[in-house]
Amino acid sequence: MELTYDGVKKYYCTACGWEFYQNTAAAVAGIFEYKDKILAVERNRDPGKGLFDFPGGFVDPFETAENALRREIKEELHVDLDQLEYLCTSPNLYTFKGIEYSTCDIFYLAHLDAEITKLDKSEIASIHWLEKSDLMPERFAFRSMQEAIKIYTSHKL
């Protein structure tokens, strides 16, 4: 096999014609409001271990973005979500086990009826309730979240 990479997303064999496209993966995250606070979680694993994150995860095959966020929040925070409001999308790079994946991160807003009390410690080290004015983008693990914070604060403050 004579594997060639086009530098963007396509791998192909010049000998046999085999092709593989590494397309962008969809991921979701929620900006959750409770009273006048915003939920940030501290990542318990790399990439970005120790930095802030918004809860969420990858969209599974044949799953809507909204259902993916509901599933992830149920798994990580033991909360059932009802209403979600679309905020924005932002491109991101996510490195896992030495491989860099291109993602399109989809952000939603949701209002919680109560504070979060349970969490999946394998994913989340701790929970932080921040004032909107304390959402410092540089404290968040991913560039896409930093961009979402800028959009969120410019529309909500």
Side-chain angles (χ1 to χ4, degrees), residues 93-149:
L93 293 175
Y94 186 88
T95 304
F96 182 71
K97 295 188 177 185
I99 299 173
E100 190 171 71
Y101 296 91
S102 172
T103 66
C104 179
D105 296 350
I106 307 161
F107 293 91
Y108 292 92
L109 303 176
H111 302 281
L112 300 176
D113 296 330
E115 279 194 42
I116 303 296
T117 57
K118 294 167 76 176
L119 58 120
D120 178 355
K121 285 287 199 175
S122 69
E123 301 253 350
I124 299 170
S126 59
I127 292 174
H128 301 269
W129 290 98
L130 305 175
E131 299 286 338
K132 290 178 186 175
S133 59
D134 291 334
L135 285 174
M136 293 179 277
E138 66 276 6
R139 294 176 67 190
F140 283 75
F142 303 108
R143 180 182 50 166
S144 61
M145 292 187 179
Q146 296 168 4
E147 291 301 314
I149 289 168

Side-chain angles (χ1 to χ4, degrees), residues 1-6 10-15 18-20:
M1 184 177 270
E2 298 175 29
L3 194 59
T4 304
Y5 177 59
D6 73 355
K10 180 180 177 182
Y11 295 87
Y12 58 97
C13 177
T14 55
W18 174 86
E19 296 178 336
F20 173 77

Side-chain angles (χ1 to χ4, degrees), residues 62-76:
F62 308 105
E63 184 177 47
T64 67
E66 295 84 0
N67 285 342
L69 184 56
R70 288 183 178 101
R71 175 184 49 75
E72 288 284 350
I73 298 312
K74 182 71 172 176
E75 292 170 3
E76 294 176 6

